Each structure stands twice: as structure tokens, then as C-alpha cells.
Amino acid sequence: KQWYQRRVRDLIAQEAFKETLADHGIQSFGLGPVEIRHVHDWGNFEVDKSVKYVIVSYDPYFSPTKLTEAYLYIKENEAEFITPDCDNFFSVSPTRKVPGSLSVSAGLSAVLEMRPKIMGKPDPFLFELIQKEHGKMQPNRTIMIGDNYTTDIEFGFNCGISTALVLTGNTQQEDVAGFERRPDFVLEGLGDISEQSDDCS
């Protein structure tokens, strides 16, 4: 929580993320559309020295201008590069996926030649935070349920807990055969978890 007292550059994210930061007293800016800057404009751009963090997530207003600002804050201001998730796709219908948060942060990672600090799945940081605030969990009595293998299920693997993949989102049945490591359970729907619980009892 020590970084709550510092200014955050909420450059690339959605409205709900800014609201969450505000609820915790974290000042942020850069959300939504920004004025377009051309290459020759950047020579006079002033980097705000109070900015210590750059948060990058899915942003429908993502642009080369936002990418360049984020790059300068991290490169010249040594602001920490943070992302709350690394979802490669979002499912928008049973037959269609669209690029997710990873498609936004990957461009910045490429030009910086560095990876962001992941504050959410699949990094175990979130699990450690939950245990710190709510008490230590018993891995043999804890299960991670999710519909995205690369975030939800790998989060379970990284935390040493059981995993249940639900085939209602980003990951489909035909993807399962290609997994290097299979989840403990593969379910057609969330309702199937009760049947698995009965089998394990």
C-alpha cells in the first residue's frame, strides 16, 4: 500500500479501473481519448516527475500517442510498468474471440524490452494478498475455477491449488488436447462442479 501515496499514470485502462483506484485514494490520469501527438511533438513533451507507476490494461482508446507517453514515463521517469492481467483474448460470442489486454501491453513490452509486473492472474501475488488479508488457505481444500487456461488455470497451477476449467469462455474442448498440463477438472458448464464435488466426497 505504500504506492497509494504516489501518483499513478492510469494511461491505458477502462473507467471501472479508474474508479477502483479512486476508491483507494490513488490519483490517476490519462483515461479515455487523448489529444493526438505527432512524432515532432514529442521533443517538447514534459515528463511529470511525480508519476511513479504506469498501469496498462485493455483500453478501447489505445493509440500510438498513449503508447509513447507510457514509454516515456517508464523509460525516462523509471515509473513501474504494471498490468492487472494478461488475457490474450476476450470471448464476445460463442463463436468469436477478440484481442484482450495482452494485445495492448505487448506493444509496450516490445519497445521497452521488458515485461510488466502482473498484479493479477496468473501471477501468485494475488493469492498471497488474499491469504495475507483473510488467513492462510489449505491448498487441498481450495480450487480455482475459470474459463481461461492462460490466466485462470495457470493461476491455480502457480498457487499450488486444484483447478477446474469451464468450457464456457476463451478455452474450448478442442484446445484441451494441446495443453502441456491438464487441469484437474474440465467442465462443460459451471453447474457440473457439483457433480465433481459429489465424486470427490
Side-chain angles (χ1 to χ4, degrees), residues 23-44:
D23 288 344
H24 289 83
I26 305 172
Q27 185 181 9
S28 64
F29 64 102
L31 191 73
V34 296
E35 181 182 350
I36 299 298
R37 292 179 182 271
H38 300 284
V39 174
H40 60 270
D41 296 329
W42 292 106
N44 297 321

Side-chain angles (χ1 to χ4, degrees), residues 127 136-144 160-163 200-201:
F127 188 68
K136 192 170 181 61
M137 299 181 186
Q138 300 178 46
N140 63 336
R141 296 180 58 83
T142 307
I143 186 168
M144 176 65 196
I161 58 178
S162 298
T163 55
C200 294
S201 58

Side-chain angles (χ1 to χ4, degrees), residues 2-52:
Q2 70 273 12
W3 59 279
Y4 285 6
Q5 307 305 319
R6 301 181 178 179
R7 200 171 189 197
V8 174
R9 174 69 183 180
D10 186 11
L11 263 176
I12 306 173
Q14 298 189 78
E15 186 65 37
F17 204 95
K18 183 173 184 177
E19 293 172 359
T20 300
L21 292 175
D23 288 344
H24 289 83
I26 305 172
Q27 185 181 9
S28 64
F29 64 102
L31 191 73
V34 296
E35 181 182 350
I36 299 298
R37 292 179 182 271
H38 300 284
V39 174
H40 60 270
D41 296 329
W42 292 106
N44 297 321
F45 178 76
E46 293 188 12
V47 174
D48 186 339
K49 297 299 182 183
S50 70
V51 175
K52 300 301 181 184

Side-chain angles (χ1 to χ4, degrees), residues 4 21 93 117 124 131 136 149-150 186:
Y4 285 6
L21 292 175
S93 79
K117 179 179 179 63
Q131 292 194 100
K136 192 170 181 61
Y149 182 86
T150 59
V186 178

Side-chain angles (χ1 to χ4, degrees), residues 140-170:
N140 63 336
R141 296 180 58 83
T142 307
I143 186 168
M144 176 65 196
I145 304 171
D147 63 4
N148 189 318
Y149 182 86
T150 59
T151 54
D152 301 326
I153 303 307
E154 289 193 1
F155 175 73
F157 294 159
N158 292 339
C159 298
I161 58 178
S162 298
T163 55
L165 175 66
V166 184
L167 303 175
T168 56
N170 290 332

Side-chain angles (χ1 to χ4, degrees), residues 105-114:
S105 61
L108 190 54
S109 292
V111 294
L112 287 167
E113 297 184 334
M114 66 181 291

Side-chain angles (χ1 to χ4, degrees), residues 180-193:
E180 183 175 338
R181 179 179 176 182
R182 283 180 59 93
D184 296 294
F185 306 100
V186 178
L187 312 172
E188 290 295 330
L190 192 56
D192 295 339
I193 192 68

